[in-house]
mmCIF file of all heavy atoms in Angstrom:
data_model
loop_
_atom_site.group_PDB
_atom_site.id
_atom_site.type_symbol
_atom_site.label_atom_id
_atom_site.label_comp_id
_atom_site.label_asym_id
_atom_site.label_seq_id
_atom_site.Cartn_x
_atom_site.Cartn_y
_atom_site.Cartn_z
ATOM 1 N N ARG A 287 110.507 -237.698 -10.808
ATOM 2 C CA ARG A 287 110.906 -236.384 -10.299
ATOM 3 C C ARG A 287 109.787 -235.361 -10.486
ATOM 4 O O ARG A 287 109.538 -234.529 -9.611
ATOM 5 C CB ARG A 287 112.173 -235.913 -11.018
ATOM 6 C CG ARG A 287 112.737 -234.608 -10.457
ATOM 7 C CD ARG A 287 114.071 -234.262 -11.088
ATOM 8 N NE ARG A 287 114.650 -233.084 -10.447
ATOM 9 C CZ ARG A 287 114.382 -231.828 -10.810
ATOM 10 N NH1 ARG A 287 113.531 -231.593 -11.798
ATOM 11 N NH2 ARG A 287 114.949 -230.822 -10.164
ATOM 12 N N VAL A 288 109.103 -235.410 -11.614
ATOM 13 C CA VAL A 288 107.970 -234.515 -11.844
ATOM 14 C C VAL A 288 106.900 -234.731 -10.783
ATOM 15 O O VAL A 288 106.354 -233.774 -10.203
ATOM 16 C CB VAL A 288 107.391 -234.738 -13.255
ATOM 17 C CG1 VAL A 288 106.062 -234.022 -13.421
ATOM 18 C CG2 VAL A 288 108.374 -234.265 -14.313
ATOM 19 N N SER A 289 106.592 -235.980 -10.501
ATOM 20 C CA SER A 289 105.573 -236.290 -9.492
ATOM 21 C C SER A 289 105.979 -235.815 -8.108
ATOM 22 O O SER A 289 105.165 -235.274 -7.356
ATOM 23 C CB SER A 289 105.316 -237.803 -9.481
ATOM 24 O OG SER A 289 104.390 -238.147 -8.485
ATOM 25 N N HIS A 290 107.250 -235.994 -7.761
ATOM 26 C CA HIS A 290 107.721 -235.595 -6.430
ATOM 27 C C HIS A 290 107.715 -234.073 -6.266
ATOM 28 O O HIS A 290 107.360 -233.557 -5.201
ATOM 29 C CB HIS A 290 109.123 -236.149 -6.195
ATOM 30 C CG HIS A 290 109.165 -237.636 -6.120
ATOM 31 N ND1 HIS A 290 110.319 -238.370 -6.280
ATOM 32 C CD2 HIS A 290 108.186 -238.548 -5.901
ATOM 33 C CE1 HIS A 290 110.057 -239.645 -6.174
ATOM 34 N NE2 HIS A 290 108.772 -239.785 -5.939
ATOM 35 N N LEU A 291 108.112 -233.347 -7.310
ATOM 36 C CA LEU A 291 108.099 -231.886 -7.226
ATOM 37 C C LEU A 291 106.675 -231.357 -7.061
ATOM 38 O O LEU A 291 106.431 -230.431 -6.286
ATOM 39 C CB LEU A 291 108.734 -231.285 -8.485
ATOM 40 C CG LEU A 291 110.254 -231.417 -8.616
ATOM 41 C CD1 LEU A 291 110.706 -230.919 -9.979
ATOM 42 C CD2 LEU A 291 110.961 -230.649 -7.513
ATOM 43 N N ARG A 292 105.733 -231.946 -7.775
ATOM 44 C CA ARG A 292 104.349 -231.511 -7.669
ATOM 45 C C ARG A 292 103.802 -231.792 -6.267
ATOM 46 O O ARG A 292 103.160 -230.938 -5.657
ATOM 47 C CB ARG A 292 103.496 -232.226 -8.711
ATOM 48 C CG ARG A 292 102.036 -231.802 -8.700
ATOM 49 C CD ARG A 292 101.213 -232.618 -9.672
ATOM 50 N NE ARG A 292 101.689 -232.461 -11.034
ATOM 51 C CZ ARG A 292 102.192 -233.445 -11.770
ATOM 52 N NH1 ARG A 292 102.298 -234.666 -11.250
ATOM 53 N NH2 ARG A 292 102.590 -233.228 -13.005
ATOM 54 N N ALA A 293 104.068 -232.985 -5.752
ATOM 55 C CA ALA A 293 103.572 -233.332 -4.417
ATOM 56 C C ALA A 293 104.192 -232.452 -3.343
ATOM 57 O O ALA A 293 103.521 -232.052 -2.386
ATOM 58 C CB ALA A 293 103.859 -234.805 -4.127
ATOM 59 N N ASP A 294 105.475 -232.127 -3.485
ATOM 60 C CA ASP A 294 106.142 -231.283 -2.500
ATOM 61 C C ASP A 294 105.520 -229.888 -2.463
ATOM 62 O O ASP A 294 105.253 -229.349 -1.384
ATOM 63 C CB ASP A 294 107.635 -231.189 -2.847
ATOM 64 C CG ASP A 294 108.398 -230.314 -1.869
ATOM 65 O OD1 ASP A 294 108.539 -230.713 -0.704
ATOM 66 O OD2 ASP A 294 108.843 -229.223 -2.274
ATOM 67 N N ALA A 295 105.259 -229.310 -3.632
ATOM 68 C CA ALA A 295 104.656 -227.971 -3.675
ATOM 69 C C ALA A 295 103.242 -227.982 -3.101
ATOM 70 O O ALA A 295 102.849 -227.070 -2.361
ATOM 71 C CB ALA A 295 104.637 -227.457 -5.112
ATOM 72 N N LEU A 296 102.469 -229.006 -3.416
ATOM 73 C CA LEU A 296 101.101 -229.083 -2.902
ATOM 74 C C LEU A 296 101.086 -229.266 -1.387
ATOM 75 O O LEU A 296 100.268 -228.657 -0.684
ATOM 76 C CB LEU A 296 100.358 -230.233 -3.574
ATOM 77 C CG LEU A 296 99.995 -230.031 -5.049
ATOM 78 C CD1 LEU A 296 99.402 -231.304 -5.625
ATOM 79 C CD2 LEU A 296 99.013 -228.884 -5.203
ATOM 80 N N HIS A 297 101.975 -230.089 -0.866
ATOM 81 C CA HIS A 297 102.018 -230.303 0.585
ATOM 82 C C HIS A 297 102.383 -229.017 1.320
ATOM 83 O O HIS A 297 101.788 -228.685 2.356
ATOM 84 C CB HIS A 297 103.017 -231.405 0.921
ATOM 85 C CG HIS A 297 102.433 -232.784 0.881
ATOM 86 N ND1 HIS A 297 101.462 -233.208 1.749
ATOM 87 C CD2 HIS A 297 102.682 -233.838 0.067
ATOM 88 C CE1 HIS A 297 101.142 -234.460 1.488
ATOM 89 N NE2 HIS A 297 101.869 -234.865 0.474
ATOM 90 N N LYS A 298 103.344 -228.289 0.802
ATOM 91 C CA LYS A 298 103.764 -227.053 1.474
ATOM 92 C C LYS A 298 102.655 -226.001 1.438
ATOM 93 O O LYS A 298 102.390 -225.328 2.443
ATOM 94 C CB LYS A 298 105.034 -226.510 0.827
ATOM 95 C CG LYS A 298 106.268 -227.351 1.114
ATOM 96 C CD LYS A 298 107.490 -226.795 0.416
ATOM 97 C CE LYS A 298 108.727 -227.620 0.745
ATOM 98 N NZ LYS A 298 109.940 -227.136 0.045
ATOM 99 N N ALA A 299 101.998 -225.870 0.290
ATOM 100 C CA ALA A 299 100.947 -224.863 0.172
ATOM 101 C C ALA A 299 99.743 -225.213 1.042
ATOM 102 O O ALA A 299 99.198 -224.345 1.741
ATOM 103 C CB ALA A 299 100.529 -224.717 -1.291
#
Side-chain angles (χ1 to χ4, degrees):
R287 185 174 185 273
V288 169
S289 177
H290 294 162
L291 287 174
R292 182 185 299 116
D294 180 68
L296 289 174
H297 273 295
K298 289 178 178 178

